[in-house]
């Protein structure tokens, strides 16, 4: 279910932002609203800021022209959805209005079309219920401003098929979003803790626990943000917070009841007055209350299986721009302190804010939450595996945890049997090397064990039967470059820096750098890099054959996906045989290598895919390979 054409219904701030994101991602986008004027206004919302970027030299005119050429205004709903693979509703947040629209869309859109709602407060199931295609209804919850904010919650309703959720997730990623998968629960993942965080700030004010500027300052410091809850409400609109909190209250009970002061402020139709004195002594109390709300709810979310621990944290860091997610914050603070902060609220609210069992267990064992440092996503119906190093705070440096997490992910990749694998890094680095504090602590025995672990995991990458692509998005240094060298195809962003700086640390490469690098670029160039601890830019890396392509940063993942898809469309056993023949054959003499190739290709003549590939040629059709 590959999505190519997208229709956005509703050309307001949210809708036009969504349309822009999909058009930037290369989709053909149709923008619809109730009238030609409303659609034209929506297009202007997209065009104006982008024209400004062009004028400031931040965007080439050609890119703007290309983006606009992918956007079609269409005020007639029937015509707008006639050719859509995905329709995203971004109309007024009113259940009746949305249900009427969904019923209409269900009648007008082709059977294949996926219908998505951008609701932030209603259940996906309540919209699916008015259609005859509940399996093809999903939630796509964008965050304001939708064109810029990278977070996208992909909501799977109880009847949504996995294929529909996967297709929506893949489309969101292609539109440049960092997707988090959530269940169909009140507030999905982020609003469930973010909105009560705002409400708790209002409660603190109601109680006279601290002045508004004190709460604002404490929140900024504790969560590493530039705007506190009150300033945020002023910017986004105070009534929106009240509406979101009231919705949670209806569904989740007393703890979520809107603060009196919040209601009063909405009645006053005024913004919050941010001026006044900050009482430093009261900041710890305020921070503890705000953290308590967030920690408790984050644990509830995971216990209720609404969202994973990692995605809950990503929601906070990507969508809200908090310095750390709730679980990373709890790890930093310690489980016992986190427990105390949640318990203070739980004691006050009883069942309405139940003590999360998992947090109590972690505190009793004085254990940190396990935040996976390497993640796996299966794409294209399982044909592609995307592995991401996710320790951006240390530039994805390889410590024992990362290597063990990678090992576990590789075990799952082996089970899933994809046709190609892509490895990349979150943030500005691919991997900035082995973890220096970890290495600093090792003696000779420790170093042997660490190298053995690293080499075992890197060999596991090299031994995968399918091609492994490295999407080198930034620094690939030391162990990071060595890991990349265990792959088959290396593609670098123009911003990438590649090198082996080990000799500058008093050691030399220990994860295969002295072996795999000369095999790839020749002994002379390899020695130049290793002896001088040299780092090269992407262009030079291409010139010396270290990487196989250099691509603009934004285009790197698309490029790797395109190569991976081209590979995945071919006979998997044939590709695997070619890989083994090349990898093993080139490690022996020519005669032995030719024998390896001969035996490998002969065995392919026993496969169904050989018959399918040749029949397809003779019958002038595309081959459908099964990997058998
Ligand atoms: N290990 C641990 N933390 C690292 C790190 C690393 N390799 N690289 C970066 N970080 C951390 C930084 O300390 C910083 O953390 P905070 O200070 O914020 O807590 C955070 O990542 C962001 O880094 P920077 O602030 O430095 O970022 P910049 O953009 O300014 O600089 C940089 C980026 C990549 C130029 C710089 O971070 C850098 O030079 N990093 C170190 C690169 C490096 O030397 N890597 C190690 C190569 S040696 C062996 C096994 C394996 C190996 C050898 C032997 N045996 C067991 C024998 C392999 C060795 C290596 O990989």
């Amino acid at each position: 279910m590959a999505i190519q054409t997208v229709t956005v219904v509703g050309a307001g701030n949210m809708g036009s932002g969504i349309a822009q994101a999909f058009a930037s991602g290369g989709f053909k986008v149709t923008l619809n609203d109730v009238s030609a004027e409303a659609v034209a206004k929506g297009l202007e919302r997209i065009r104006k800021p982008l024209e400004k970027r062009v004028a400031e030299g931040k965007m080439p005119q050609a890119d703007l022209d290309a983006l606009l050429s992918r956007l079609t205004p269409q005020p007639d709903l029937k015509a707008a959805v006639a050719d859509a693979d995905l329709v995203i509703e971004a109309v007024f947040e009113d259940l009746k209005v949305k249900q009427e629209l969904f019923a209409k869309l269900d009648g007008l859109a082709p059977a294949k079309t996926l219908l998505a709602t951008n609701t932030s407060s209603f259940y996906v199931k309540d919209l699916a219920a008015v259609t005859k295609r509940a399996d093809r209804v999903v939630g796509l919850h964008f965050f304001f401003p939708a064109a810029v904010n990278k977070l996208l919650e992909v909501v799977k309703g109880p009847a949504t098929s996995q294929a529909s959720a996967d297709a929506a997730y893949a489309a969101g990623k292609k539109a440049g979003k960092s997707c988090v998968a959530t269940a169909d629960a009140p507030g999905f993942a982020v609003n469930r803790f973010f909105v009560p965080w705002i409400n708790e700030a209002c409660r603190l004010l109601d109680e006279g626990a601290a002045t508004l500027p004190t709460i604002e300052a404490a929140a900024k410091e504790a969560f590493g943000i530039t705007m506190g809850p009150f300033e945020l409400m002023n910017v986004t609109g105070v009534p929106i917070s009240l509406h979101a909190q009231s919705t949670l209250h209806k569904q989740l009970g007393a703890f979520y009841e809107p603060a009196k002061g919040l209601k009063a402020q909405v009645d006053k139709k005024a913004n919050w007055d941010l001026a006044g004195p900050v009482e430093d002594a009261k900041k710890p109390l305020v921070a503890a209350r705000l953290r308590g709300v967030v920690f408790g709810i984050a644990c509830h979310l995971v216990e209720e299986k609404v969202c994973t621990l990692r995605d809950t944290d990503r929601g906070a860091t990507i969508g809200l721009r908090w310095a750390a997610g709730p679980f990373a914050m709890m790890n930093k603070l310690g489980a016992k302190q986190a427990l105390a902060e949640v318990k203070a609220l739980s004691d006050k609210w009883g069942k309405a804010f139940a003590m999360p069992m998992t947090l109590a267990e972690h505190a009793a064992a004085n254990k940190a939450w396990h935040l996976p440092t390497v993640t796996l996503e299966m794409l294209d119906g399982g044909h592609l595996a995307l592995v991401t190093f996710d320790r951006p705070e240390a530039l994805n440096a390889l410590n024992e945890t990362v290597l063990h997490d990678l090992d576990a992910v590789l075990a799952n990749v082996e089970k899933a049997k994809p046709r190609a694998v892509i490895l990349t890094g979150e943030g500005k680095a691919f991997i900035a090397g082995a973890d220096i504090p970890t290495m600093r602590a090792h003696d000779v025995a420790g170093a042997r064990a660490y190298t053995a672990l690293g080499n075992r995991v890197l060999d596991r990458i090299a031994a995968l039967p399918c091609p492994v692509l490295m999407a080198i998005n930034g620094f690939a240094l030391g162990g990071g470059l060595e890991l990349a060298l265990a792959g088959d195809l290396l593609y670098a962003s123009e911003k990438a820096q590649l090198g082996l700086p080990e000799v500058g640390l008093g050691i030399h490469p220990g994860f295969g750098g002295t072996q795999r690098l000369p095999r790839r670029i020749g002994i002379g160039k390899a020695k130049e890099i290793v002896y001088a601890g040299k780092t090269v830019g992407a262009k030079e890396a291409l010139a010396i054959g270290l990487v196989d392509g250099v691509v603009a940063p934004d285009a790197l993942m698309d490029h790797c996906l395109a190569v991976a898809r081209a590979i995945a469309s071919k006979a998997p056993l044939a590709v695997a045989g070619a890989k083994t023949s090349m990898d093993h054959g080139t490690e022996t003499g020519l005669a032995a290598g030719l024998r390896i190739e001969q035996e490998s290709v002969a065995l392919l003549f026993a496969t169904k895919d050989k018959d399918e590939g040749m029949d397809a040629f003779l019958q002038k059709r595309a081959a459908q390979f099964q990997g058998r």
Side-chain angles (χ1 to χ4, degrees):
M1 200 191 287
I3 288 163
Q4 282 162 349
T5 51
V6 177
T7 295
V8 180
V9 180
N13 280 329
M14 251 358 236
S16 56
I18 295 168
Q20 183 184 327
F22 278 91
S24 323
F27 293 88
K28 276 176 69 186
V29 180
T30 302
L31 189 58
N32 168 271
D33 208 314
V34 287
S35 67
E37 294 73 42
V39 180
K41 259 193 191 163
L43 280 178
E44 276 312 288
R45 279 194 192 96
I46 298 171
R47 190 201 314 266
K48 279 260 168 66
L50 292 180
E51 277 175 351
K52 197 164 158 240
R53 283 179 63 78
V54 170
E56 290 165 355
K58 291 180 183 158
M59 183 182 193
Q61 180 69 47
D63 286 5
L64 173 59
D65 294 343
L67 187 149
L68 293 175
S69 75
R70 289 193 285 273
L71 276 163
T72 308
Q74 179 50 271
D76 179 68
L77 188 61
K78 188 174 175 194
V81 302
D83 186 32
D85 296 324
L86 169 67
V87 176
I88 305 171
E89 158 280 308
V91 302
F92 188 63
E93 195 70 356
D94 178 300
L95 184 60
K96 207 163 156 260
V97 172
K98 285 185 193 270
Q99 282 180 326
E100 278 169 15
L101 176 62
F102 263 69
K104 234 191 244 172
L105 289 172
D106 191 36
L108 294 174
K112 61 161 189 177
T113 306
L114 212 62
L115 302 182
T117 170
N118 178 46
T119 183
S120 57
S121 44
F122 304 119
Y123 287 110
V124 171
K125 66 178 178 197
D126 289 342
L127 296 166
V130 300
T131 73
K132 293 189 187 73
R133 62 175 89 195
D135 61 320
R136 274 156 293 138
V137 177
V138 291
L140 284 178
H141 181 216
F142 292 81
F143 288 73
F144 187 77
V148 179
N149 194 314
K150 290 261 174 238
L151 186 67
L152 174 61
E153 289 179 329
V154 180
V155 186
K156 186 172 178 294
T160 310
S161 71
Q162 194 56 50
S164 301
D166 289 348
Y169 193 98
K173 271 189 89 94
K174 191 160 181 265
K177 299 298 172 193
S178 288
C179 299
V180 301
T182 90
D184 194 15
F188 309 129
V190 173
N191 278 354
R192 172 85 171 265
F193 61 83
F194 171 60
V195 176
W197 173 83
I198 288 181
N199 197 46
E200 199 66 12
C202 298
R203 274 188 192 145
L204 282 159
L205 192 63
D206 285 354
E207 292 165 18
T211 62
L212 186 152
T214 306
I215 301 169
E216 200 69 359
K220 284 189 211 173
E221 280 169 28
F223 293 85
I225 43 179
T226 50
M227 272 193 262
F230 295 101
E231 191 178 354
L232 259 173
M233 280 188 269
N234 284 354
V235 171
T236 55
V238 185
I240 289 177
S241 289
L242 177 61
H243 179 260
Q245 187 66 29
S246 306
T247 314
L248 290 179
H249 179 215
K250 263 187 234 147
Q251 293 158 342
L252 294 167
F255 173 73
Y256 292 85
E257 184 176 2
K260 290 192 176 57
L262 176 56
K263 286 188 202 155
Q265 196 67 21
V266 172
D267 290 343
K268 272 199 250 169
K269 295 190 171 55
N271 272 352
W272 298 98
D273 179 2
L274 304 177
V278 174
E279 307 150 301
D280 285 328
K282 291 188 174 168
K283 283 201 272 189
L285 173 149
V286 171
R289 274 277 291 275
L290 296 177
R291 281 194 302 255
V293 169
V294 169
F295 293 168
I297 296 176
C299 292
H300 292 153
L301 279 172
V302 174
E303 287 178 9
E304 292 164 22
K305 295 193 169 32
V306 173
C307 191
T308 65
L309 202 137
R310 171 185 174 261
D311 277 355
T312 303
D313 268 15
R314 287 174 71 229
T317 52
I318 301 168
L320 307 177
R321 320 258 329 155
W322 287 2
F327 291 98
M329 282 175 84
M330 282 190 260
N331 282 351
K332 200 160 180 195
L333 208 62
K336 289 206 159 123
Q337 176 65 24
L339 179 86
E341 294 180 351
V342 177
K343 191 167 180 304
L345 282 159
S346 178
D347 286 349
K348 179 172 160 196
W349 289 93
K351 277 192 189 146
F353 192 77
M355 191 66 214
M357 285 311 296
T358 48
L359 178 56
E361 285 160 15
H362 275 70
N366 206 12
K367 208 172 82 181
W369 297 98
H370 179 61
L371 296 163
T373 56
V374 186
T375 63
L376 170 65
E377 290 167 69
M378 298 305 298
L379 309 174
D380 290 13
H383 281 178
L384 304 184
L386 176 61
V387 176
T388 306
F389 293 93
D390 193 7
R391 197 190 168 212
E393 66 283 4
L395 304 189
N396 302 321
L398 300 170
N399 60 14
E400 266 115 5
T401 306
V402 178
L403 289 169
H404 283 298
D405 285 351
L406 176 59
D407 201 27
V409 160
L410 290 172
N412 287 331
V413 170
E414 286 163 3
K415 266 187 235 142
K417 295 191 173 66
R419 296 182 179 191
V421 180
I422 302 172
L423 277 82
T424 194
E426 184 74 35
K428 69 176 178 184
F430 177 70
I431 298 169
D435 187 80
I436 296 173
T438 303
M439 288 196 294
R440 177 69 185 83
H442 284 319
D443 57 11
V444 172
R448 275 205 190 99
Y450 180 54
T451 334
L453 170 65
N455 278 329
R456 182 172 65 71
V457 179
L458 265 58
D459 284 348
R460 198 167 188 172
I461 297 175
L464 283 170
C466 65
V468 178
L469 286 71
M470 298 290 171
I472 303 172
N473 51 304
F475 296 109
L477 301 176
L481 177 56
E482 292 172 294
L483 185 142
L485 288 165
D488 294 283
L489 296 167
L490 277 60
Y491 296 107
S493 136
E494 285 162 354
K495 284 190 182 158
Q497 301 267 322
L498 304 93
L500 294 174
E502 282 87 341
V503 290
L505 297 169
I507 55 170
H508 68 62
F511 287 160
T514 63
Q515 301 306 305
R516 288 198 174 98
L517 185 64
R519 280 167 170 75
R520 184 168 253 267
I521 63 171
I523 191 76
K525 279 284 164 213
K527 285 185 170 177
E528 204 176 279
I529 288 178
V530 173
Y531 293 167
K534 189 175 159 187
T535 295
V536 297
K539 255 194 186 161
E540 188 177 347
L542 183 63
I544 62 175
L546 177 53
V547 298
D548 303 299
V550 174
V551 191
D554 289 352
L556 178 65
M557 192 42 70
D558 274 352
H559 178 74
C560 290
L561 283 169
V563 174
R565 285 186 177 124
I567 293 168
S569 71
K570 303 294 188 262
L573 294 175
V575 173
K579 172 170 170 162
T580 316
S581 295
M582 283 190 266
D583 286 351
H584 293 184
T586 51
E587 288 301 310
T588 65
L590 179 63
L594 288 170
R595 275 197 301 279
I596 291 174
E597 181 193 79
Q598 181 183 310
E599 187 53 16
S600 171
V601 76
L603 289 176
L604 291 173
F605 281 72
T607 64
K608 289 207 162 62
D609 280 352
K610 167 245 156 189
D611 292 342
E612 166 64 9
M614 297 193 188
D615 286 350
F617 175 81
L618 295 171
Q619 293 160 11
K620 300 190 190 312
R621 61 173 174 82
Q624 295 295 327
F625 293 115
Q626 306 294 326
R628 283 183 289 155

